[in-house]
């Protein structure tokens, strides 16, 4: 620090600057302060004396170089006699041996830090230290009781829990994990025990079926051990415990029990009906020994081939058996308690049908045999074999021979090869297909079993033309036809095609017939001339037979040969026209009107006439029609009122009508 003395009146320096050094001496005005508050620490239980727990630290703001103002000393205010603190370092240690977590787990320790080296007048500060004892495996598991009793029905399913036991361990977490096991049992393998990891319980499980009638009680010796054991605490005793478990088996009503799990029976296929082939036996395992009733599950014997005696379980056959049809029969037999029909059990029965020699051997296949016309005697033309559905124990042995009735005049011979085959040989040097195209060779095949079975099989031999090497070139037409005969399926297909063609023809004819009978006039709007309706176009002025107006003038001439005009006639017989006297020219129109009126009256009074007669459609329209008359023949107006001169303007085809009606009055009067 620099100071300068000046005159206060003149502000002039009285002397030079002077330097002063001021030193401030510290006093103890700050208390020690801990770096944390509170402290949290953990120490294992059962730790030895002097085991370090945690170190606390306090600081003092005073000058540590001046006196003892910043010299801190630690002391314990609360927590004795369990813990102690080093006064210089603040290290907290255990002060009492054998601290047990299971007795007391949490401790609160108050530590004081005081400056001035702990002397009187020093300032101080405090902090709290929370100390927790951590667990160690210092406690063995213990069962709550030495004997456990359980009751289990004998019908309990395998794998089911029959009881749960539990041992207590004062430790926690991994130190309390236990393992249960069976160390003794009067029923080996009957039960097993496992540990539930979440609850640390021992679960007793059934491994074999229970039977009240066979054993009613089981005794088990169970031992429990700690999984994690510290060698430090071996001296505290064995970390295991034992207990006895008694299991009482309760009786339940059980279904009958068969003596065997399955039965195999044998019967010959020629056994007579009602022949007993075996028996089954079942009994009630309960103490009451209820009678048992037997039956066959018909779902396994739909054809009712077998039956069973309800009382003694004897199985017998109801129908004739055939091994070749079914060699094995698998049925299921039901046993039912007489006193409780709901208690049933089943057993499979396998019935084998034994073979007997009841089938004759036959050709193994359908042979197609031919002989060449130039064949030599004793030439082999075919090798045949046989088959038999029977199955003899020693295998098949077949014998071949020519039928006795054909041996005298035979054209072929049979040679048995003694190996279940035979050769067909020729007995002459040549054959003629024109004389005989086919030969039937009867071959007798018999077996060597008892009783012997035999059959006669016919071999068809065709006579064919061959080359020098014996290869067939051509057979007769009859043989070729027989060989190339159509199969049943082909014949059916051909027959169906023929039937379809016939149906098409009949349908076509019916359509044509219906078309012929279609009415000429379809509706009232379809008004046509007679000639048009009959598709007769007419020959023009050269055709004098197309239309005869005299018919209209003399209707009685065709009364007897009147035709239906509403449909196309199937057969047409031209009516015989009677000559009629030519009427006067001035009465032409009147004749036409009278003819039409007569036909109208006939159709109106005829109840059998169709509703649309072709003549009825040409009725008089009336004078008031807007379209006027469609016909050139005016049926109401008089001849004088009608002018037919326009007919001459229609061309040469209407010249005939123009000459008849188109003349002048002088011509008609003459």
């Amino acid at each position: 620090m620099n100071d300068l003395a000046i005159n206060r009146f003149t502000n002039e320096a009285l002397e030079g600057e002077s330097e002063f050094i001021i030193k401030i001496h510290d006093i103890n005005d700050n208390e020690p302060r801990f770096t944390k508050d509170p402290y949290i620490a953990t120490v294992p239980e059962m730790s030895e004396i002097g085991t370090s727990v945690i170190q606390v630290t306090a600081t003092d703001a005073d000058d540590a170089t001046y006196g003892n103002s910043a010299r801190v000393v630690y002391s314990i205010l609360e927590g004795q006699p369990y813990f102690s603190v080093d006064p210089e370092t603040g290290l907290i240690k255990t002060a009492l041996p054998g601290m047990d977590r299971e007795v007391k787990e949490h401790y609160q320790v108050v530590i004081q830090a005081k400056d001035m080296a702990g002397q009187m007048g020093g300032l101080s500060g405090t902090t709290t230290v929370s100390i927790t004892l951590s667990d160690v495996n210092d406690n063995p598991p213990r069962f709550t009781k030495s004997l456990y009793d359980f009751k289990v029905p004998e019908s309990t399913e395998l794998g089911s829990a029959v009881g749960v036991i539990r041992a207590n361990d004062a430790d926690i977490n991994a130190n309390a994990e236990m393992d249960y096991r069976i160390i003794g049992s009067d029923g080996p393998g009957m039960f097993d025990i496992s540990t539930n990891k979440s609850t640390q319980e021992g679960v007793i499980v059934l491994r074999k079926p229970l039977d009240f009638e066979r054993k009613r009680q089981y005794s088990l010796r169970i031992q429990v051990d700690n999984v994690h054991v510290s060698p430090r605490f071996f001296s505290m005793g064995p970390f295991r415990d034992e207990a006895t478990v008694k299991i009482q088996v309760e009786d339940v009503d059980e279904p009958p029990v068969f003596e065997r799990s399955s039965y195999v029976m044998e019967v010959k296929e020629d056994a007579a009906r009602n022949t007993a082939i075996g028996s089954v036996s079942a009994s009630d395992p309960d103490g009451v020994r209820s009678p048992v009733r037997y039956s066959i599950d018909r779902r396994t014997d739909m054809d009712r081939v077998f039956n069973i005696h309800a009382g003694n379980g004897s199985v017998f056959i109801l129908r004739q058996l055939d091994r070749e049809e079914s060699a094995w029969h698998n049925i299921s037999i039901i046993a039912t308690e007489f006193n409780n029909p709901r208690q049933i059990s089943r057993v499979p029965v396998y019935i084998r049908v034994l073979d007997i020699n009841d089938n004759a051997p036959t050709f193994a296949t359908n042979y197609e045999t031919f002989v060449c016309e130039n064949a030599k005697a004793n030439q082999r033309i075919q090798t045949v074999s046989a088959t038999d559905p029977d199955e003899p124990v020693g295998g098949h042995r077949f014998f071949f021979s020519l039928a006795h009735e054909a041996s005298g005049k035979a054209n072929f011979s049979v040679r048995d090869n003694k190996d279940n085959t035979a050769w067909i040989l020729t007995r002459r040097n040549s054959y003629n297909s024109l004389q005989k195209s086919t030969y039937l060779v009867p071959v007798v095949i018999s077996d060597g079993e008892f009783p012997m079975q035999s059959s006669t099989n016919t071999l068809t031999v065709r006579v064919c033309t061959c080359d020098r090497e014996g290869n067939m070139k051509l057979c007769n037409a009859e043989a070729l036809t027989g060989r190339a005969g159509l199969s049943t399926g082909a014949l059916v297909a051909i027959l169906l095609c023929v039937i379809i063609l016939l149906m098409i023809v009949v349908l076509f004819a019916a359509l044509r017939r219906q078309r012929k009978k279609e009415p000429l006039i379809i509706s009232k709007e379809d008004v046509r001339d007679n000639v048009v309706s009959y598709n007769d176009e007419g020959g023009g002025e050269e055709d004098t037979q197309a239309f005869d107006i005299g018919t209209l003038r003399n209707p009685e001439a065709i009364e007897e040969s009147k035709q239906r005009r509403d449909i196309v006639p199937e057969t047409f017989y031209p009516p015989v026209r009677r000559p009629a006297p030519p009427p006067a020219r001035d009465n032409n129109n009147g004749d036409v009107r009278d003819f039409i009126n007569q036909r109208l009256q006939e159709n109106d009074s005829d109840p059998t006439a169709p509703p649309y007669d072709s003549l009825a459609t040409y009725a008089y329209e009336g004078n008031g029609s807007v379209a006027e008359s469609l016909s050139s023949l005016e049926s109401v107006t008089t001849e004088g009122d009608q002018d037919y001169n326009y007919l001459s303007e229609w061309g040469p085809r209407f010249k005939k009508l123009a000459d008849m009606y188109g003349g002048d009055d002088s011509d008609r009067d003459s």
Side-chain angles (χ1 to χ4, degrees):
M1 176 179 183
N2 295 326
D3 289 336
L4 180 64
I6 61 173
N7 189 332
R8 62 177 180 177
F9 298 106
T10 61
N11 289 329
E12 294 179 0
L14 298 179
E15 58 183 13
E17 291 184 355
S18 300
E19 181 177 355
F20 297 91
I21 298 175
I22 301 174
K23 186 175 183 181
I24 301 175
H25 293 280
D26 183 33
I27 63 173
N28 188 18
D29 59 348
N30 292 283
E31 71 276 4
R33 294 181 180 275
F34 285 94
T35 57
K36 292 183 181 179
D37 188 19
Y39 285 86
I40 298 176
T42 302
V43 63
E45 63 172 332
M46 308 302 291
S47 296
E48 297 179 355
I49 297 176
T51 301
S52 299
V53 179
I54 192 173
Q55 184 177 13
V56 295
T57 302
T59 60
D60 195 323
D62 293 328
D63 188 2
T65 62
Y66 181 75
N68 294 326
S69 299
R71 185 181 177 187
V72 179
V73 175
Y74 300 94
S75 63
I76 184 167
L77 300 181
E78 295 181 11
Q80 294 175 334
Y82 305 104
F83 300 95
S84 64
V85 62
D86 188 298
E88 298 295 333
T89 62
L91 179 61
I92 300 175
K93 302 177 182 180
T94 59
L96 189 67
M99 288 190 294
D100 194 352
R101 184 199 65 84
E102 288 74 29
V103 177
K104 186 176 181 180
E105 183 177 4
H106 301 286
Y107 294 87
Q108 296 288 336
V109 178
V110 178
I111 303 297
Q112 176 183 269
K114 189 175 183 180
D115 58 11
M116 297 298 292
Q119 298 177 4
M120 294 294 293
L123 300 178
S124 64
T126 61
T127 187
T128 301
V129 181
S130 296
I131 301 175
T132 302
L133 298 183
S134 61
D135 185 51
V136 296
N137 192 7
D138 58 339
N139 294 282
R142 291 290 182 261
F143 284 110
T144 57
K145 53 185 178 180
S146 60
L147 179 62
Y148 294 86
D149 289 310
F150 299 103
K151 293 182 179 181
V152 182
E154 63 175 332
S155 59
T156 302
E157 296 182 359
L158 300 182
S160 301
V162 299
V164 177
I165 61 176
R166 178 179 174 84
N168 294 330
D169 192 331
D171 297 322
I172 60 175
N173 299 330
N175 296 318
E177 292 183 0
M178 294 173 283
D179 181 44
Y180 298 87
R181 56 195 179 97
I182 299 175
I183 60 176
S185 173
D186 57 358
M190 290 293 299
F191 302 93
D192 194 6
I193 189 169
S194 60
T195 303
N196 188 327
K197 298 300 182 181
S198 60
T199 63
Q200 295 301 314
E201 294 176 333
V203 182
I204 302 175
V205 179
L206 180 65
R207 291 304 181 194
K208 292 183 179 180
L210 298 174
D211 189 353
F212 175 82
E213 289 73 26
R214 182 178 300 175
K215 190 173 179 61
R216 302 185 180 186
Q217 179 177 299
Y218 293 90
S219 178
L220 307 177
R221 192 67 181 168
I222 307 297
Q223 177 178 287
V224 61
D225 299 270
N226 272 134
V227 177
H228 307 285
V229 180
S230 175
R232 176 186 169 193
F233 302 104
F234 280 163
S235 60
M236 300 182 67
F239 285 81
R240 68 174 63 93
D241 197 11
E242 295 180 3
T244 301
V245 177
K246 298 290 185 180
I247 299 177
Q248 301 289 335
V249 180
E250 295 180 335
D251 186 25
V252 296
D253 192 6
E254 297 177 282
V257 178
F258 285 94
E259 292 182 353
R260 304 178 188 174
S261 59
S262 63
Y263 291 84
V264 178
M265 301 179 184
E266 294 182 346
V267 58
K268 291 186 177 181
E269 62 178 325
D270 62 344
R273 297 179 181 178
N274 298 322
T275 300
I277 61 176
S279 63
V280 298
S281 178
S283 60
D284 182 11
D286 300 319
V288 295
R289 298 297 179 182
S290 172
V292 176
R293 181 179 178 273
Y294 302 95
S295 62
I296 294 179
D297 187 353
R298 290 304 174 186
R299 292 175 298 180
T300 62
D301 185 26
M302 301 293 290
D303 296 333
R304 293 184 174 269
V305 180
F306 304 94
N307 203 354
I308 189 171
H309 192 279
N312 58 25
S314 297
V315 181
F316 53 92
I317 60 176
L318 294 177
R319 299 175 58 181
Q320 190 69 35
L321 301 176
D322 188 357
R323 189 204 64 84
E324 288 71 32
E325 180 180 349
S326 180
W328 284 89
H329 296 270
N330 302 328
I331 64 176
S332 178
I333 293 181
I334 302 173
T336 308
E337 280 191 17
F338 187 80
N339 296 332
N340 187 2
R342 292 179 298 178
Q343 295 294 340
I344 63 174
S345 58
R346 302 170 185 268
V347 67
V349 178
Y350 309 104
I351 302 173
R352 179 185 180 185
V353 182
L354 301 178
D355 184 38
I356 63 169
N357 191 29
D358 58 345
N359 292 278
T362 58
F363 277 148
T365 185
N366 185 20
Y367 296 100
E368 294 183 357
T369 307
F370 69 93
V371 62
C372 296
E373 291 182 325
N374 56 356
K376 304 299 182 181
N378 292 324
Q379 179 179 337
R380 184 182 65 182
I381 62 173
Q382 183 70 57
T383 300
V384 296
S385 61
T387 183
D388 191 337
D390 295 322
E391 293 182 359
V393 178
H396 290 292
R397 177 66 180 94
F398 301 122
F399 302 92
F400 300 86
S401 62
L402 191 64
H404 179 71
E405 61 272 12
S407 60
K409 52 181 179 179
N411 294 286
F412 302 90
S413 62
V414 178
R415 177 184 297 177
D416 193 342
N417 297 325
K418 309 300 181 180
D419 60 353
N420 293 338
T421 64
W423 289 352
I424 308 299
L425 306 175
T426 59
R427 297 188 63 177
R428 63 185 191 181
N429 289 326
S430 62
Y431 297 85
N432 191 339
S433 61
L434 297 179
Q435 295 179 357
K436 192 170 185 178
S437 59
T438 59
Y439 292 89
L440 302 179
V441 181
V443 180
V444 178
I445 309 175
S446 58
D447 55 26
E449 300 300 318
F450 180 83
M452 180 178 292
Q453 300 288 340
S454 64
S455 66
T456 301
N457 300 263
T458 302
L459 180 68
T460 302
V461 181
R462 296 180 292 115
V463 180
C464 302
T465 302
C466 304
D467 56 15
R468 293 182 178 180
E469 287 74 19
N471 299 320
M472 180 179 64
K473 295 174 58 179
L474 179 64
C475 284
N476 61 304
E478 180 182 355
L480 287 176
T481 304
R483 184 177 182 183
L486 295 177
S487 63
T488 304
L491 293 176
V492 171
I494 294 175
L495 183 60
L496 288 176
C497 293
V498 172
I499 293 175
I500 293 173
L501 289 176
L502 290 177
M503 292 177 63
I504 294 175
V505 172
V506 171
L507 182 61
F508 182 75
L511 291 176
R512 291 198 61 182
R513 184 180 182 88
Q514 183 178 3
R515 185 180 301 174
K516 287 183 178 181
K517 293 186 177 182
E518 289 180 353
L520 295 176
I521 301 176
I522 305 303
S523 65
K524 293 183 179 181
E525 302 297 330
D526 188 8
V527 180
R528 307 180 197 178
D529 184 87
N530 287 349
V531 175
V532 175
S533 298
Y534 278 82
N535 297 323
D536 187 3
E537 186 176 349
E541 62 181 356
E542 302 298 331
D543 186 5
T544 59
Q545 302 297 326
F547 185 80
D548 188 3
I549 193 64
T551 301
L552 296 177
R553 296 172 178 171
N554 188 16
E556 292 79 5
I558 60 170
E559 188 65 23
E560 296 179 357
S561 59
K562 185 168 54 177
Q563 299 282 335
R564 284 288 301 271
R565 306 175 65 87
D566 55 340
I567 61 173
V568 178
E570 297 182 2
T571 58
F572 179 74
Y573 301 93
V576 180
R577 298 182 179 179
R578 300 176 183 176
R585 297 293 299 272
D586 55 352
N587 292 331
N588 286 345
N589 293 339
D591 292 341
V592 172
R593 183 169 56 253
D594 293 341
F595 173 76
I596 292 175
N597 289 334
Q598 180 182 357
R599 287 294 180 266
L600 285 174
Q601 184 177 2
E602 290 178 358
N603 281 276
D604 291 341
S605 60
D606 186 2
T608 62
Y612 45 85
D613 194 289
S614 59
L615 293 177
T617 59
Y618 291 97
Y620 174 61
E621 296 181 4
N623 293 329
S625 174
V626 178
E628 297 184 353
S629 176
L630 298 178
S631 174
S632 63
L633 304 178
E634 185 67 29
S635 58
V636 177
T637 57
T638 61
E639 185 178 357
D641 296 335
Q642 179 66 36
D643 184 8
Y644 297 104
N645 292 329
Y646 63 88
L647 294 176
S648 58
E649 300 175 358
W650 286 8
R653 290 193 176 188
F654 294 91
K655 184 176 183 300
K656 187 72 173 180
L657 291 177
D659 293 341
M660 294 175 61
Y661 294 98
D664 53 11
D665 295 341
S666 60
D667 294 338
R668 288 194 297 267
D669 294 336
S670 58

